Amino acid sequence: MKGTALTDGLIAGAVGTTALNIVTYLDMTTRARPASHTPEESAGKLAGAAHVNLGSTEQASNRRSGLGALMGYGLGVAAAVGFAALVRGRRQPVLRAAALLGGGAMTLSDGSLTLLGVTDPRTWRRADWLADIVPHLAYGLTAAATWNRLRPSGAAPAVGPVEALAGLRQAQT
């Protein structure tokens, strides 16, 4: 796979992460809910595990906030670069790509938070799941659309079973 596919994955991940953040902030505005503290908590746990001193109490709080946000961007980009490697640089049907990208980003995010002991999805309420799923759907759809837009049209989308049957029927007529 060429480096351009990984670069396109990086771009798609950045666009998807921006969409995820926009949807999250719209949710916070609409429901008047506070920001989640899980990114900062995970940054603090990782810094503690790595024996990294984040400074005084105020400095540490500010650094955890910044590191938590940066880790979110990193996970979003990593999910899309992983997707680019998985599909070997080829365009994909948008819904398939959206499911893989959104599901992958959500798994990376929630999985790392769970492994760090910051959250336990088994205890989440319906509203918690919606607040997590909807932004990841936005991530998946925008990252998938961006990925397909960036990939050369000669890199035809993989054919799924529905597309294969439709193509077979057209060939028979």
Side-chain angles (χ1 to χ4, degrees):
M1 177 175 47
K2 293 183 179 180
T4 56
L6 295 179
T7 301
D8 288 351
L10 189 142
I11 293 167
V15 172
T17 302
T18 300
L20 181 144
N21 286 334
I22 290 169
V23 170
T24 298
Y25 292 130
L26 284 171
D27 176 47
M28 290 168 56
T29 302
T30 303
R31 295 193 300 147
R33 72 169 180 86
S36 172
H37 294 289
T38 57
E40 292 130 42
E41 290 177 42
S42 62
K45 290 210 177 209
L46 284 174
H51 305 290
V52 173
N53 182 354
L54 296 178
S56 69
T57 303
E58 185 178 344
Q59 289 174 331
S61 175
N62 293 337
R63 286 185 176 128
R64 283 191 304 271
S65 180
L67 287 169
L70 289 171
M71 287 168 39
Y73 282 106
L75 284 173
V77 169
V81 169
F83 169 82
L86 176 72
V87 300
R88 296 186 297 271
R90 284 183 248 143
R91 296 171 69 143
Q92 298 294 306
V94 171
L95 292 180
R96 176 188 303 155
L100 288 169
L101 284 158
M106 190 168 164
T107 300
L108 278 173
S109 174
D110 295 346
S112 62
L113 292 171
T114 302
L115 287 173
L116 289 169
V118 173
T119 189
D120 183 355
R122 296 174 296 183
T123 65
W124 291 2
R125 301 177 321 254
R126 185 171 154 191
D128 300 327
W129 277 105
L130 285 173
D132 196 47
I133 290 171
V134 172
H136 284 96
L137 286 173
Y139 168 90
L141 287 169
T142 56
T146 302
W147 169 259
N148 280 346
R149 179 75 175 116
L150 293 171
R151 298 312 299 148
S153 59
V159 176
V162 173
E163 295 92 349
L165 287 175
L168 184 60
R169 286 187 189 124
Q170 284 180 343
Q172 291 175 345
T173 56

